[in-house]
Short mmCIF file of all heavy atoms in Angstrom, two decimals:
data_model
loop_
_atom_site.label_atom_id
_atom_site.label_comp_id
_atom_site.label_asym_id
_atom_site.label_seq_id
_atom_site.Cartn_x
_atom_site.Cartn_y
_atom_site.Cartn_z
N ALA A 86 0.22 -9.65 -26.37
CA ALA A 86 -0.46 -8.38 -26.06
C ALA A 86 0.06 -7.82 -24.71
O ALA A 86 0.37 -6.65 -24.49
CB ALA A 86 -1.97 -8.47 -26.07
N MET A 87 0.18 -8.77 -23.75
CA MET A 87 0.58 -8.30 -22.42
C MET A 87 2.08 -7.88 -22.45
O MET A 87 2.37 -6.86 -21.83
CB MET A 87 0.39 -9.45 -21.44
CG MET A 87 -1.04 -9.74 -21.15
SD MET A 87 -1.40 -10.90 -19.75
CE MET A 87 -1.18 -12.46 -20.64
N TRP A 88 2.94 -8.57 -23.21
CA TRP A 88 4.30 -8.06 -23.32
C TRP A 88 4.30 -6.76 -24.09
O TRP A 88 5.05 -5.90 -23.73
CB TRP A 88 5.08 -9.08 -24.19
CG TRP A 88 5.68 -10.25 -23.38
CD1 TRP A 88 6.15 -10.30 -22.14
CD2 TRP A 88 5.78 -11.60 -23.83
NE1 TRP A 88 6.63 -11.46 -21.79
CE2 TRP A 88 6.37 -12.34 -22.86
CE3 TRP A 88 5.48 -12.25 -25.03
CZ2 TRP A 88 6.62 -13.71 -22.94
CZ3 TRP A 88 5.69 -13.63 -25.19
CH2 TRP A 88 6.33 -14.32 -24.15
N GLN A 89 3.50 -6.54 -25.12
CA GLN A 89 3.40 -5.33 -25.80
C GLN A 89 3.11 -4.20 -24.82
O GLN A 89 3.71 -3.07 -24.91
CB GLN A 89 2.30 -5.29 -26.89
CG GLN A 89 2.68 -6.22 -28.08
CD GLN A 89 1.55 -6.31 -29.14
OE1 GLN A 89 0.69 -5.42 -29.17
NE2 GLN A 89 1.54 -7.37 -29.89
N LEU A 90 2.14 -4.41 -23.99
CA LEU A 90 1.79 -3.36 -23.01
C LEU A 90 2.84 -3.07 -21.96
O LEU A 90 3.04 -1.92 -21.53
CB LEU A 90 0.46 -3.74 -22.29
CG LEU A 90 -0.80 -3.63 -23.27
CD1 LEU A 90 -1.94 -4.37 -22.66
CD2 LEU A 90 -1.02 -2.14 -23.52
N VAL A 91 3.64 -4.11 -21.55
CA VAL A 91 4.75 -3.78 -20.67
C VAL A 91 5.74 -2.86 -21.35
O VAL A 91 6.26 -1.87 -20.76
CB VAL A 91 5.39 -5.14 -20.15
CG1 VAL A 91 6.68 -4.87 -19.36
CG2 VAL A 91 4.39 -5.94 -19.32
N GLY A 92 6.10 -3.17 -22.61
CA GLY A 92 7.05 -2.32 -23.37
C GLY A 92 6.51 -0.95 -23.58
O GLY A 92 7.24 0.07 -23.49
N PHE A 93 5.20 -0.88 -23.90
CA PHE A 93 4.56 0.46 -24.14
C PHE A 93 4.69 1.28 -22.87
O PHE A 93 4.99 2.54 -22.90
CB PHE A 93 3.07 0.19 -24.58
CG PHE A 93 2.34 1.46 -25.00
CD1 PHE A 93 2.58 1.98 -26.26
CD2 PHE A 93 1.44 2.07 -24.15
CE1 PHE A 93 1.92 3.13 -26.68
CE2 PHE A 93 0.79 3.19 -24.49
CZ PHE A 93 0.99 3.75 -25.80
N TYR A 94 4.47 0.70 -21.76
CA TYR A 94 4.56 1.41 -20.43
C TYR A 94 5.95 2.01 -20.18
O TYR A 94 6.10 3.09 -19.77
CB TYR A 94 4.10 0.44 -19.32
CG TYR A 94 4.12 1.04 -17.99
CD1 TYR A 94 2.97 1.79 -17.51
CD2 TYR A 94 5.08 0.86 -17.07
CE1 TYR A 94 2.94 2.32 -16.24
CE2 TYR A 94 5.12 1.41 -15.75
CZ TYR A 94 4.03 2.14 -15.44
OH TYR A 94 4.00 2.66 -14.13
N LEU A 95 6.92 1.18 -20.58
CA LEU A 95 8.30 1.61 -20.36
C LEU A 95 8.56 2.86 -21.20
O LEU A 95 9.21 3.81 -20.82
CB LEU A 95 9.30 0.48 -20.72
CG LEU A 95 9.26 -0.70 -19.82
CD1 LEU A 95 10.26 -1.83 -20.38
CD2 LEU A 95 9.64 -0.34 -18.37
N GLY A 96 8.07 2.90 -22.48
CA GLY A 96 8.17 4.03 -23.39
C GLY A 96 7.43 5.20 -22.79
O GLY A 96 7.89 6.34 -22.86
N TRP A 97 6.29 4.92 -22.22
CA TRP A 97 5.43 5.96 -21.56
C TRP A 97 6.14 6.61 -20.47
O TRP A 97 6.04 7.84 -20.18
CB TRP A 97 4.11 5.35 -21.13
CG TRP A 97 3.11 6.23 -20.52
CD1 TRP A 97 2.26 7.08 -21.11
CD2 TRP A 97 2.81 6.33 -19.07
NE1 TRP A 97 1.44 7.68 -20.25
CE2 TRP A 97 1.74 7.20 -18.95
CE3 TRP A 97 3.24 5.63 -17.93
CZ2 TRP A 97 1.14 7.54 -17.69
CZ3 TRP A 97 2.70 5.95 -16.71
CH2 TRP A 97 1.66 6.87 -16.61
N LEU A 98 7.00 5.89 -19.76
CA LEU A 98 7.80 6.38 -18.66
C LEU A 98 9.00 7.22 -19.12
O LEU A 98 9.70 7.85 -18.42
CB LEU A 98 8.33 5.27 -17.76
CG LEU A 98 7.28 4.58 -16.87
CD1 LEU A 98 7.96 3.40 -16.14
CD2 LEU A 98 6.63 5.55 -15.93
N GLY A 99 9.29 7.17 -20.48
CA GLY A 99 10.38 7.93 -21.05
C GLY A 99 11.60 7.09 -21.39
O GLY A 99 12.60 7.59 -21.81
N ALA A 100 11.55 5.81 -21.19
CA ALA A 100 12.68 4.89 -21.48
C ALA A 100 12.87 4.76 -23.01
O ALA A 100 11.84 4.80 -23.72
CB ALA A 100 12.48 3.60 -20.77
N GLU A 101 14.04 4.49 -23.41
CA GLU A 101 14.35 4.38 -24.83
C GLU A 101 14.86 3.02 -25.16
O GLU A 101 15.45 2.29 -24.28
CB GLU A 101 15.34 5.36 -25.28
CG GLU A 101 14.84 6.83 -25.16
CD GLU A 101 15.81 7.88 -25.59
OE1 GLU A 101 17.02 7.56 -25.74
OE2 GLU A 101 15.38 9.01 -25.87
N GLY A 102 14.73 2.62 -26.43
CA GLY A 102 15.29 1.34 -26.91
C GLY A 102 14.15 0.59 -27.64
O GLY A 102 13.00 0.93 -27.70
N LYS A 103 14.57 -0.58 -28.16
CA LYS A 103 13.68 -1.52 -28.79
C LYS A 103 13.20 -2.61 -27.82
O LYS A 103 14.03 -3.17 -27.17
CB LYS A 103 14.31 -2.15 -29.99
CG LYS A 103 14.73 -1.14 -31.04
CD LYS A 103 15.44 -1.78 -32.23
CE LYS A 103 15.90 -0.72 -33.18
NZ LYS A 103 16.80 -1.26 -34.17
N GLY A 104 11.87 -2.83 -27.70
CA GLY A 104 11.38 -3.76 -26.77
C GLY A 104 11.57 -5.16 -27.14
O GLY A 104 11.44 -5.51 -28.39
N ARG A 105 11.91 -6.02 -26.27
CA ARG A 105 12.05 -7.44 -26.53
C ARG A 105 11.51 -8.17 -25.28
O ARG A 105 11.84 -7.82 -24.12
CB ARG A 105 13.50 -7.89 -26.67
CG ARG A 105 14.12 -7.34 -27.91
CD ARG A 105 13.49 -7.81 -29.22
NE ARG A 105 14.15 -7.43 -30.42
CZ ARG A 105 13.78 -6.38 -31.13
NH1 ARG A 105 12.87 -5.58 -30.73
NH2 ARG A 105 14.51 -6.06 -32.24
N ALA A 106 10.61 -9.16 -25.49
CA ALA A 106 10.05 -10.05 -24.47
C ALA A 106 11.23 -10.85 -23.90
O ALA A 106 12.03 -11.35 -24.65
CB ALA A 106 9.03 -10.94 -25.04
N LEU A 107 11.38 -10.89 -22.56
CA LEU A 107 12.50 -11.61 -21.97
C LEU A 107 12.03 -12.87 -21.19
O LEU A 107 12.87 -13.69 -20.82
CB LEU A 107 13.26 -10.67 -21.03
CG LEU A 107 13.93 -9.44 -21.66
CD1 LEU A 107 14.55 -8.64 -20.63
CD2 LEU A 107 14.93 -9.95 -22.67
N GLY A 108 10.77 -12.98 -21.03
CA GLY A 108 10.28 -14.23 -20.32
C GLY A 108 8.95 -13.98 -19.64
O GLY A 108 8.37 -12.86 -19.64
N VAL A 109 8.52 -15.00 -19.10
CA VAL A 109 7.26 -14.99 -18.28
C VAL A 109 7.41 -16.15 -17.26
O VAL A 109 7.94 -17.19 -17.52
CB VAL A 109 6.04 -15.21 -19.17
CG1 VAL A 109 6.07 -16.57 -19.92
CG2 VAL A 109 4.73 -15.00 -18.38
N GLY A 110 6.90 -15.95 -16.09
CA GLY A 110 7.01 -16.91 -15.01
C GLY A 110 6.06 -18.10 -15.27
O GLY A 110 6.48 -19.23 -15.51
N GLU A 111 4.77 -17.82 -15.25
CA GLU A 111 3.74 -18.84 -15.43
C GLU A 111 2.56 -18.25 -16.16
O GLU A 111 2.13 -17.10 -15.92
CB GLU A 111 3.33 -19.39 -14.01
CG GLU A 111 2.28 -20.47 -14.15
CD GLU A 111 1.96 -20.95 -12.72
OE1 GLU A 111 1.36 -20.18 -11.97
OE2 GLU A 111 2.24 -22.16 -12.46
N VAL A 112 2.04 -19.02 -17.06
CA VAL A 112 0.87 -18.61 -17.81
C VAL A 112 -0.21 -19.70 -17.62
O VAL A 112 0.09 -20.88 -17.66
CB VAL A 112 1.10 -18.53 -19.33
CG1 VAL A 112 -0.16 -18.09 -20.12
CG2 VAL A 112 2.18 -17.54 -19.57
N LYS A 113 -1.48 -19.26 -17.27
CA LYS A 113 -2.57 -20.22 -17.17
C LYS A 113 -3.71 -19.75 -18.06
O LYS A 113 -4.07 -18.54 -18.00
CB LYS A 113 -3.08 -20.19 -15.70
CG LYS A 113 -2.09 -20.83 -14.73
CD LYS A 113 -2.66 -20.96 -13.32
CE LYS A 113 -1.69 -21.53 -12.37
NZ LYS A 113 -2.21 -21.60 -10.99
N PHE A 114 -4.20 -20.73 -18.81
CA PHE A 114 -5.31 -20.47 -19.69
C PHE A 114 -6.58 -21.17 -19.09
O PHE A 114 -6.50 -22.43 -18.90
CB PHE A 114 -5.04 -21.00 -21.14
CG PHE A 114 -3.90 -20.37 -21.77
CD1 PHE A 114 -2.68 -20.99 -21.81
CD2 PHE A 114 -3.99 -19.15 -22.36
CE1 PHE A 114 -1.61 -20.43 -22.45
CE2 PHE A 114 -2.94 -18.48 -23.01
CZ PHE A 114 -1.72 -19.15 -23.07
N THR A 115 -7.57 -20.42 -18.83
CA THR A 115 -8.84 -21.06 -18.30
C THR A 115 -10.05 -20.73 -19.13
O THR A 115 -11.17 -20.96 -18.65
CB THR A 115 -9.04 -20.55 -16.83
OG1 THR A 115 -9.12 -19.18 -16.82
CG2 THR A 115 -7.94 -21.06 -15.90
N GLY A 116 -9.84 -20.17 -20.30
CA GLY A 116 -10.90 -19.81 -21.20
C GLY A 116 -10.36 -19.53 -22.61
O GLY A 116 -9.18 -19.68 -22.83
N GLN A 117 -11.25 -19.10 -23.47
CA GLN A 117 -10.80 -18.80 -24.85
C GLN A 117 -11.56 -17.61 -25.42
O GLN A 117 -12.64 -17.17 -24.93
CB GLN A 117 -11.08 -20.04 -25.69
CG GLN A 117 -12.50 -20.49 -25.72
CD GLN A 117 -12.64 -21.84 -26.42
OE1 GLN A 117 -11.84 -22.29 -27.17
NE2 GLN A 117 -13.82 -22.47 -26.10
N VAL A 118 -10.99 -17.01 -26.46
CA VAL A 118 -11.65 -15.93 -27.15
C VAL A 118 -12.21 -16.51 -28.50
O VAL A 118 -11.43 -16.93 -29.37
CB VAL A 118 -10.59 -14.78 -27.47
CG1 VAL A 118 -11.34 -13.69 -28.21
CG2 VAL A 118 -9.97 -14.33 -26.18
N LEU A 119 -13.52 -16.50 -28.62
CA LEU A 119 -14.19 -16.99 -29.80
C LEU A 119 -14.68 -15.79 -30.62
O LEU A 119 -14.81 -14.66 -30.09
CB LEU A 119 -15.40 -17.84 -29.38
CG LEU A 119 -15.03 -19.06 -28.54
CD1 LEU A 119 -16.28 -19.80 -28.05
CD2 LEU A 119 -14.16 -20.00 -29.30
N PRO A 120 -15.02 -16.00 -31.89
CA PRO A 120 -15.47 -14.87 -32.75
C PRO A 120 -16.78 -14.33 -32.31
O PRO A 120 -17.22 -13.24 -32.72
CB PRO A 120 -15.61 -15.52 -34.13
CG PRO A 120 -15.25 -16.91 -34.04
CD PRO A 120 -14.83 -17.26 -32.61
N THR A 121 -17.49 -14.94 -31.41
CA THR A 121 -18.81 -14.42 -30.83
C THR A 121 -18.53 -13.44 -29.71
O THR A 121 -19.46 -12.75 -29.25
CB THR A 121 -19.61 -15.59 -30.33
OG1 THR A 121 -18.85 -16.35 -29.40
CG2 THR A 121 -20.09 -16.46 -31.56
N ALA A 122 -17.31 -13.37 -29.20
CA ALA A 122 -16.96 -12.40 -28.09
C ALA A 122 -17.07 -11.01 -28.59
O ALA A 122 -17.06 -10.65 -29.89
CB ALA A 122 -15.62 -12.68 -27.55
N LYS A 123 -17.11 -10.07 -27.72
CA LYS A 123 -17.27 -8.65 -28.06
C LYS A 123 -15.92 -7.88 -27.76
O LYS A 123 -15.51 -7.08 -28.48
CB LYS A 123 -18.36 -8.01 -27.39
CG LYS A 123 -19.77 -8.54 -27.62
CD LYS A 123 -20.08 -8.36 -29.03
CE LYS A 123 -21.42 -8.93 -29.38
NZ LYS A 123 -21.56 -9.43 -30.73
N LYS A 124 -15.34 -8.19 -26.58
CA LYS A 124 -14.18 -7.40 -26.17
C LYS A 124 -13.25 -8.18 -25.35
O LYS A 124 -13.66 -8.91 -24.38
CB LYS A 124 -14.63 -6.17 -25.41
CG LYS A 124 -13.55 -5.22 -24.94
CD LYS A 124 -14.07 -3.92 -24.32
CE LYS A 124 -14.84 -4.21 -23.06
NZ LYS A 124 -15.34 -2.96 -22.40
N VAL A 125 -11.93 -8.02 -25.53
CA VAL A 125 -10.83 -8.54 -24.73
C VAL A 125 -10.30 -7.34 -23.93
O VAL A 125 -10.06 -6.32 -24.48
CB VAL A 125 -9.76 -9.25 -25.54
CG1 VAL A 125 -8.58 -9.57 -24.65
CG2 VAL A 125 -10.30 -10.43 -26.26
N THR A 126 -10.10 -7.54 -22.56
CA THR A 126 -9.52 -6.55 -21.76
C THR A 126 -8.21 -7.09 -21.18
O THR A 126 -8.18 -8.21 -20.63
CB THR A 126 -10.51 -6.13 -20.61
OG1 THR A 126 -11.72 -5.70 -21.21
CG2 THR A 126 -9.90 -5.05 -19.75
N TYR A 127 -7.20 -6.34 -21.28
CA TYR A 127 -5.86 -6.72 -20.74
C TYR A 127 -5.61 -5.81 -19.45
O TYR A 127 -5.79 -4.60 -19.54
CB TYR A 127 -4.75 -6.44 -21.66
CG TYR A 127 -4.96 -7.07 -23.03
CD1 TYR A 127 -5.28 -6.32 -24.09
CD2 TYR A 127 -4.80 -8.46 -23.25
CE1 TYR A 127 -5.46 -6.83 -25.39
CE2 TYR A 127 -4.92 -9.03 -24.49
CZ TYR A 127 -5.27 -8.21 -25.62
OH TYR A 127 -5.47 -8.76 -26.85
N LYS A 128 -5.19 -6.44 -18.39
CA LYS A 128 -4.83 -5.63 -17.16
C LYS A 128 -3.40 -6.06 -16.78
O LYS A 128 -3.12 -7.25 -16.56
CB LYS A 128 -5.81 -5.94 -16.01
CG LYS A 128 -7.14 -5.41 -16.36
CD LYS A 128 -8.13 -5.58 -15.17
CE LYS A 128 -9.51 -5.01 -15.54
NZ LYS A 128 -10.47 -5.06 -14.41
N ILE A 129 -2.55 -5.05 -16.64
CA ILE A 129 -1.12 -5.27 -16.42
C ILE A 129 -0.79 -4.57 -15.03
O ILE A 129 -1.00 -3.36 -14.89
CB ILE A 129 -0.25 -4.66 -17.50
CG1 ILE A 129 -0.59 -5.18 -18.90
CG2 ILE A 129 1.23 -4.96 -17.15
CD1 ILE A 129 -0.51 -6.68 -19.06
N HIS A 130 -0.30 -5.38 -14.12
CA HIS A 130 0.02 -4.87 -12.70
C HIS A 130 1.58 -4.93 -12.58
O HIS A 130 2.10 -6.00 -12.48
CB HIS A 130 -0.62 -5.81 -11.71
CG HIS A 130 -2.14 -5.94 -11.88
ND1 HIS A 130 -3.01 -5.05 -11.31
CD2 HIS A 130 -2.85 -6.84 -12.59
CE1 HIS A 130 -4.25 -5.44 -11.60
NE2 HIS A 130 -4.19 -6.51 -12.38
N PHE A 131 2.15 -3.73 -12.55
CA PHE A 131 3.61 -3.72 -12.47
C PHE A 131 4.11 -4.03 -11.09
O PHE A 131 3.57 -3.61 -10.05
CB PHE A 131 4.15 -2.36 -12.89
CG PHE A 131 4.19 -2.21 -14.37
CD1 PHE A 131 3.02 -1.92 -15.06
CD2 PHE A 131 5.29 -2.64 -15.12
CE1 PHE A 131 3.00 -1.84 -16.49
CE2 PHE A 131 5.25 -2.62 -16.51
CZ PHE A 131 4.11 -2.20 -17.15
N LYS A 132 5.24 -4.81 -11.04
CA LYS A 132 5.84 -5.28 -9.85
C LYS A 132 7.17 -4.50 -9.65
O LYS A 132 7.59 -4.23 -8.58
CB LYS A 132 6.18 -6.80 -9.90
CG LYS A 132 4.96 -7.64 -9.97
CD LYS A 132 5.33 -9.05 -10.29
CE LYS A 132 5.15 -10.01 -9.09
NZ LYS A 132 5.29 -11.35 -9.45
N ARG A 133 7.81 -4.20 -10.81
CA ARG A 133 9.15 -3.58 -10.74
C ARG A 133 9.42 -2.97 -12.12
O ARG A 133 9.11 -3.49 -13.18
CB ARG A 133 10.14 -4.59 -10.44
CG ARG A 133 11.48 -4.05 -10.20
CD ARG A 133 12.46 -5.12 -9.61
NE ARG A 133 13.69 -4.46 -9.33
CZ ARG A 133 14.81 -5.13 -9.23
NH1 ARG A 133 14.89 -6.39 -9.41
NH2 ARG A 133 16.00 -4.47 -9.01
N VAL A 134 10.06 -1.82 -12.06
CA VAL A 134 10.63 -1.15 -13.28
C VAL A 134 12.05 -0.81 -12.98
O VAL A 134 12.28 -0.09 -11.97
CB VAL A 134 9.79 0.11 -13.72
CG1 VAL A 134 10.53 0.84 -14.87
CG2 VAL A 134 8.35 -0.27 -14.08
#
Side-chain angles (χ1 to χ4, degrees):
M87 292 187 278
W88 277 321
Q89 289 176 24
L90 288 165
V91 173
F93 187 78
Y94 183 81
L95 295 173
W97 182 77
L98 290 175
E101 296 183 342
K103 297 175 183 174
R105 296 296 186 264
L107 298 176
V109 62
E111 180 178 68
V112 180
K113 290 184 181 178
F114 299 100
T115 57
Q117 57 188 342
V118 180
L119 301 174
T121 53
K123 300 297 180 211
K124 182 173 63 177
V125 171
T126 303
Y127 308 105
K128 295 184 180 185
I129 308 298
H130 305 271
F131 281 83
K132 297 169 108 171
R133 186 169 183 204
V134 173

